Structures are given as structure tokens and as C-alpha cells.
Amino acid sequence: MPPAHAHPHPEDHLTSSAMLQDIVIGLSDGLTVPFALAAGLSGAVSSSALVITAGLAEIVAGSIAMGLGGYLAGRTEVEHYEAEVAREHREVREVPEVERAEVRDLLAEIGLSEATRELAVRELTADPEQWVKFMMKYELGLEKPDPRQAPKSAATISLAYAVGGLIPLSAYFFTATPTEGLLWSAVITLVCLFLFGYLKSRLTGQPPVAGALKMAGIGALAAGAAFLVARQFSE
């Protein structure tokens, strides 16, 4: 019989949270930026084919750029953590008494008595690896990042951006003029932005209706501004 504290299934909260964050980043930009571009072109050109071509080009370029940004952010996090680990190892070797004093201060902050602190300091500093791990987590507040997360983030953000970008552009495939396409694109995209904002706010513990209205409002503002600017310069 397994012990009472054994977990019957592995937990993966961090990965799920990171993936959700990447999906939110990709979808929110994918829904907004191509929608604003298509709206702007609709105010300047008379061919839906031009809107579709430019929109597809933007989606490809945007998904690559967003994915690369996600990858670089992930790699930067890993490199920052590794640099801090190296620095802590160096300090443990070169100024151990200073580092022990920092451990005592950290343990005092959580309310341990002096006798317990001294015992804990001896235990924690006996193994340099565990010592450094303690300092990384409780002094610097850094958790070791997953080195595989950077390519995962790149793929997730890119795919989410492409999916989000195709939603506003899809209306132009089935309408005769850019103006008609913009009308249907606005309806489809604003509904999607509203639903996406609602779900995102629910998942993150924010007021869902306010989040939905905020997301839809940002998309409408961006598209409206792009349309008016394009119409102004095309006259």
C-alpha cells in the first residue's frame, strides 16, 4: 500500500501556466494586429485580394517575429539564472562567512529562533549545491527555468498568433469588396476578442466582463485608428 502522502499523478502547474501565458500572448496580438492592418487597408484599397495578400504576409512575418521573441525571452531567463548560479557559487567559495550571515538573516526573517537558525545554517551550508539552491530561491527569488521552455514558447506563440490572425482575415475570402469584408471581419473579430477576454479574465481571476470589454475595446480602437489613417492618406 503506497504511503498516504504519495501523489497518484505528476503535477505540471508551471508548464501549464507558461503555455497558457504563451497562448494568451500569441492570440491577443494575432487577433488585434492583423485586424488593424486589414482595417487600414480596407480604407485605402478597392481589392480584397490585396487585403488578403498583405494580411497573409503580415501573419507569416508576425508569427515568426513573435515566436523568435518568445524564444529569446526564454533563453534570456535561462542565461540569467545560470549567471546568478555561477555568481553564488563564487561567493560561497570566496566569502563563505558573508553568505552564512545572509542565510542567518533570511532564516531570521521567517521567525526561526537563534538556536534553530544556527543548526539550520550548519545543515544548509554543509553542501555547497544545496547552499546555492537555497540562496537562489530565498535570497534572489529565482526558480530554475526549464531549458526546453524556450522552443516550446516559440512554437506556441507562433501558432497562436497565426490562428488569431486568420480569424479577422477570413471574412475577406468570402466577400466581394474590402468594405464588406471589413464589416464581417469586425463582427467576427470583436466577438472573438470579447470571448477571449472573458475566458482569459476568468482564468486569471480578474472581472470577466470588464476584461472582455477591455480586450474588445482595444481591438476596435486599433482597427478604427488604422482605418481612419489609411482613409485620410488615400484621399
Side-chain angles (χ1 to χ4, degrees):
M1 181 176 180
H5 65 273
H7 292 287
H9 63 278
E11 297 186 7
D12 200 18
H13 299 297
L14 180 60
T15 301
S16 298
S17 176
M19 179 173 289
L20 176 61
Q21 183 180 25
D22 292 338
I23 291 173
V24 168
I25 292 171
L27 268 181
S28 59
D29 282 4
L31 282 167
T32 305
V33 177
F35 177 42
L37 173 65
L41 289 173
S42 297
V45 302
S46 58
S47 170
S48 292
L50 290 176
V51 178
I52 293 170
T53 301
L56 290 174
E58 196 286 326
I59 290 171
V60 171
S63 63
I64 292 172
M66 292 288 293
L68 181 59
Y71 178 81
L72 292 176
R75 286 303 308 165
T76 299
E77 185 179 4
V78 171
E79 291 165 3
H80 171 63
Y81 184 87
E82 291 174 348
E84 290 296 330
V85 166
R87 183 178 66 82
E88 285 295 332
H89 273 291
R90 186 172 63 254
E91 291 178 351
V92 164
R93 289 194 307 269
E94 297 176 356
V95 287
E97 287 307 316
V98 174
E99 291 298 295
R100 285 191 180 94
E102 291 178 354
V103 173
R104 289 188 187 94
D105 292 340
L106 291 169
L107 295 174
E109 289 178 3
I110 62 177
L112 295 183
S113 66
E114 184 176 354
T116 304
R117 288 202 303 271
E118 291 305 316
L119 178 61
V121 167
R122 287 197 298 271
E123 291 286 341
L124 286 169
T125 60
D127 181 357
E129 290 296 328
Q130 293 302 318
W131 189 354
V132 168
K133 286 181 181 179
F134 178 84
M135 300 303 286
M136 292 296 294
K137 183 172 183 178
Y138 294 101
E139 182 192 23
L140 302 179
L142 296 176
E143 296 283 352
K144 184 176 181 180
D146 183 357
R148 300 168 299 177
Q149 187 58 42
K152 289 179 183 177
S153 290
T156 302
I157 293 173
S158 290
L159 182 60
Y161 187 94
V163 171
L166 287 173
I167 290 173
L169 197 61
S170 62
Y172 293 89
F173 286 93
F174 306 104
T175 52
T177 65
T179 302
E180 187 181 356
L182 176 60
L183 175 62
W184 284 104
S185 178
V187 172
I188 295 169
T189 305
L190 292 178
V191 168
C192 289
L193 283 169
F194 185 89
L195 293 174
F196 175 66
Y198 184 90
L199 292 174
K200 186 187 78 168
S201 299
R202 285 288 299 271
L203 290 172
T204 56
Q206 303 299 315
V209 175
L213 291 173
K214 180 180 178 181
M215 183 70 73
I218 291 172
L221 181 62
F227 179 84
L228 291 175
V229 169
R231 176 60 62 87
Q232 182 70 28
F233 280 97
S234 65
E235 290 179 353

